[in-house]
Amino acid sequence: MSVPVLEASGLSRFFGGVHAVDDVSFTVDAGERVALIGPNGAGKSTCFNLVNGQLALDSGTVRLAGARIDGLPPQVIARRGVGRTFQVVATFASMTVRENLLLALAAHAGRTGRFGLLEADRARAEADALLARVDCAEFADAHCATLAYGDAKRVELALALADRPRLLLMDEPTAGMPSNSRLRQMRIAAEVTAGEGIAVLFTEHDMDVVFGFADRVIVLDRGRVLAQGTPDEIRADPRVRAAYLGDVDAGVS
């Protein structure tokens, strides 16, 4: 059997007497899209922060392609191949879209100074190729502050891809977007990540997005795993319906 890209085992994090994440275990394979869902306060963002080193574990282990990464600083984990997008778009608003990508590419290459002429041409070509992959080529010379929110979210995806991640954490990738843009956003993300075999772990409140794009769903409730399985299995699970989904067919999520 192949080694999972992400293997989280027995993750626990307590804040005083609150068990924000309590003995949570799961895996994500190469090219697989796994949704982490649950009501507010279920522990989803805490799980993300434990995986990418923003928070220290009280117990448990995190392995990336078989190698332990728990206990490492976030910047080291990022260099090992863990990318992330956030609920609120994180770009340099005063810079152009291409400049943001060039900065990300320079950081990935470990550069603190300017590119040489040949390197600069190659970096520009790579930045433009990334923008084309997320359907944002037309915005290359626009300042990020002028972008519509959905366009900015796709630029943030390109920034995450600039780090060439093996694992991509997407924290509510369609949050704040109009309903007619959400499926397009996820379709682009799915096509780009599947093409490179990138493992994806994402949180999302829109059940159409979850059931439409996840290969597997993990449901958290009060910091613990309530259920995990295929979208169809999760949709039909009476425990999940009672704790979180409600009447999905009626649009309650």
Side-chain angles (χ1 to χ4, degrees):
M1 294 180 64
S2 60
V3 175
V5 173
L6 173 64
E7 183 179 6
S9 180
L11 304 189
S12 295
R13 173 69 189 206
F14 309 137
F15 295 98
V18 178
H19 293 199
V21 172
D22 190 1
D23 195 25
V24 169
S25 299
F26 59 87
T27 61
V28 187
D29 293 327
E32 186 180 28
R33 297 186 298 274
V34 176
L36 189 64
I37 70 171
N40 290 333
K44 305 183 296 296
S45 292
T46 301
C47 270
F48 269 37
N49 290 333
L50 293 172
V51 168
N52 82 336
Q54 296 287 343
L55 287 174
L57 287 161
D58 285 321
S59 62
T61 60
V62 180
R63 287 181 168 85
L64 183 69
R68 283 187 65 170
I69 59 172
D70 53 276
L72 298 176
Q75 63 271 24
V76 174
I77 291 175
R79 287 198 294 270
R80 296 282 179 92
V82 178
R84 183 171 181 177
T85 65
F86 295 85
Q87 293 181 33
V88 178
V89 176
T91 60
F92 292 102
S94 63
M95 298 171 65
T96 68
V97 170
R98 184 184 288 113
E99 287 169 344
N100 270 266
L101 263 294
L102 290 173
L103 190 62
L105 291 169
H108 177 75
R111 297 189 63 90
T112 57
R114 294 183 176 181
F115 286 112
L117 185 60
L118 182 59
E119 290 175 316
D121 287 342
R122 289 174 177 169
R124 181 186 176 97
E126 186 174 356
D128 288 350
L130 281 169
L131 291 174
R133 288 167 62 196
V134 299
D135 199 20
C136 284
E138 64 187 287
F139 306 121
D141 295 315
H143 285 81
C144 286
T146 68
L147 297 179
Y149 192 71
D151 297 331
K153 294 283 275 190
R154 294 200 307 282
V155 169
E156 187 187 34
L157 174 60
L159 290 170
L161 294 172
D163 284 333
R164 299 183 180 90
R166 288 183 283 182
L167 169 68
L168 180 61
L169 307 176
M170 301 179 71
D171 198 350
E172 297 193 25
T174 70
M177 299 178 65
S179 58
N180 61 351
S181 298
R182 292 173 188 168
L183 297 184
R184 179 193 179 205
Q185 173 80 2
M186 287 303 295
R187 189 175 299 112
I188 291 171
E191 290 173 355
V192 170
T193 55
E196 296 191 7
I198 298 171
V200 177
L201 179 67
F202 71 98
T203 66
E204 183 58 60
H205 285 292
D206 187 322
M207 291 298 102
D208 288 336
V209 169
V210 170
F211 293 135
F213 290 93
D215 299 307
R216 193 157 45 87
V217 181
I218 302 165
V219 184
L220 294 183
D221 186 38
R222 300 178 183 179
R224 297 184 65 87
V225 174
L226 177 66
Q228 53 182 313
T230 67
D232 286 343
E233 289 169 341
I234 294 302
R235 190 193 296 268
D237 192 312
R239 298 168 302 165
V240 178
R241 297 178 71 92
Y244 178 49
L245 294 181
D247 190 349
V248 174
D249 296 330
V252 176
S253 63

